[in-house]
């Protein structure tokens, strides 16, 4: 336990107590845990660049602090809530049928399996709209074969929503990949990153021949291919590929340019036959 621990807890309980008083007095409650976040060291094994997240946060003043040129709050949560109303109105003007249609259900054509990274907002980067992309994101777009969360998303999207495309998307400067390329202990993240380390192990000779940046980018690509293997080993996916032409794609998102690159993921006929024999099951 670091020396900061008691002080952090003290601030936490002070804010919780203040929130309780506000509830008792029927005042609007705003909870912000950024002081706790700011207590976390900013140099982490996940860093691929210096993060600025919450670096200038001032809890007592930031929620009303504005940019002098356009009166926009500098706190992104406050700004986002304000912008939501404009966004909803503008989207409704540009697409009058969109929200009424979405209120009755969804028919996304794409299942997107990507990284949680804030720079990788799938619907924005594709220039699509709400209702177009069904999404599962996690650290470093890793698909554990036994993971209930991603497994349920894939089954629901493929079997019930009947998406036409399944996309696994990795990205450059991925903090999860950077962590798996290092050797620091990361607690709960170690078992999460295990498949990525196994990919690194299997391709160590190739990766060690490359400069560090290129090795990390290569591991991003290998990780996408590994996740695609997991997706296409699921019986529900194999069935949809065979029966209605479901397509599975691997992409890399370049965070420095905003551009998506498609990987060649064509399998040989032999590989496809072997996968069907080994993994396609029937009720
Ligand atoms: Zn990432």
């Amino acid at each position: 336990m670091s020396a900061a621990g008691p002080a952090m807890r003290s601030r936490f309980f002070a804010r919780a107590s203040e929130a309780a008083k506000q509830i008792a007095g029927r005042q609007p409650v705003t909870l912000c845990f950024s002081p706790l976040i700011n207590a976390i060291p900013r140099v982490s094994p996940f860093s691929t660049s210096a993060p600025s997240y919450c670096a200038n946060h001032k809890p007592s003043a930031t929620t009303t602090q504005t940019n002098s040129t356009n009166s926009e709050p500098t706190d992104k949560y406050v700004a986002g809530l304000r912008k939501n109303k404009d966004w909803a109105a503008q989207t409704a003007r540009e697409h009058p049928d969109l929200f009424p249609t979405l209120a009755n259900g969804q028919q996304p054509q794409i299942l997107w399996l990507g990284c949680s990274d804030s720079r990788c907002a799938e619907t924005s980067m594709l220039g699509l709209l709400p209702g177009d992309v069904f999404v599962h994101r996690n650290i470093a777009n890793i698909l554990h074969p036994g993971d209930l969360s991603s497994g349920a998303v894939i089954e629901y999207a493929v079997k019930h929503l009947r998406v036409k495309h399944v996309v696994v998307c990795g990205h450059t400067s991925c903090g999860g990949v950077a962590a798996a390329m290092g050797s620091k202990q990361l607690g709960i993240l170690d078992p999460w990153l295990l498949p990525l380390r196994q990919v690194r192990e299997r391709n160590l000779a190739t990766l060690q021949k490359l400069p560090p940046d290129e090795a990390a980018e290569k591991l991003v690509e290998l990780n996408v291919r590994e996740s695609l293997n997991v997706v296409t080993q699921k019986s529900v996916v194999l069935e949809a590929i065979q029966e209605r032409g479901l397509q599975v794609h691997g992409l890399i998102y370049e965070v420095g340019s905003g551009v998506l690159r498609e990987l060649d993921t064509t399998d040989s006929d032999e590989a496809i036959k072997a996968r069907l024999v080994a993994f396609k099951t029937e009720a």
Side-chain angles (χ1 to χ4, degrees), residues 115-117 120 139-141 171 173-177:
C115 181
S116 300
D117 193 300
C120 303
I139 290 177
N141 46 277
H171 68 98
S173 303
C174 181
V177 169

Side-chain angles (χ1 to χ4, degrees), residues 158-174:
V158 171
K159 193 170 182 178
H160 300 285
L161 294 175
R162 296 175 67 80
V163 295
K164 294 180 177 176
H165 304 270
V166 176
V167 173
V168 175
C169 183
H171 68 98
T172 56
S173 303
C174 181

Side-chain angles (χ1 to χ4, degrees), residues 170-172 174 177 215-224 252:
H171 68 98
T172 56
C174 181
V177 169
E217 289 201 17
K218 185 67 181 173
L219 188 54
V220 167
E221 179 187 327
L222 293 168
N223 182 42
V224 169
I252 305 288

Side-chain angles (χ1 to χ4, degrees), residues 56-116:
N56 298 315
H57 189 86
K58 292 173 183 157
S60 60
T62 312
T63 52
T64 55
Q65 189 180 351
T66 58
N67 181 318
S68 59
T69 56
N70 58 10
S71 297
E72 183 178 299
T74 54
D75 183 296
K76 295 296 183 186
Y77 175 74
V78 177
L81 278 186
R82 282 194 192 176
K83 286 183 175 184
N84 166 259
K85 291 179 179 59
D86 293 338
W87 170 82
Q90 186 179 340
T91 305
R93 274 195 304 276
E94 292 173 359
H95 309 276
D97 297 333
L98 181 66
F99 291 128
T101 302
L102 293 181
N104 290 322
Q106 60 174 330
Q107 290 183 303
Q109 292 190 15
I110 300 169
L111 166 61
W112 185 273
L113 305 166
C115 181
S116 300

Side-chain angles (χ1 to χ4, degrees), residues 227-262:
S227 292
L228 284 170
N229 279 340
V230 175
V231 170
T232 52
Q233 287 168 359
K234 292 186 181 294
S235 186
V236 69
V237 172
L238 289 172
E239 189 177 302
I241 290 172
Q242 269 196 314
E243 292 183 3
R244 60 180 182 83
L246 173 72
Q247 295 179 36
V248 180
H249 314 272
L251 299 178
I252 305 288
Y253 178 65
E254 305 274 352
V255 296
S257 66
V259 174
L260 286 163
R261 175 166 60 91
E262 203 167 17

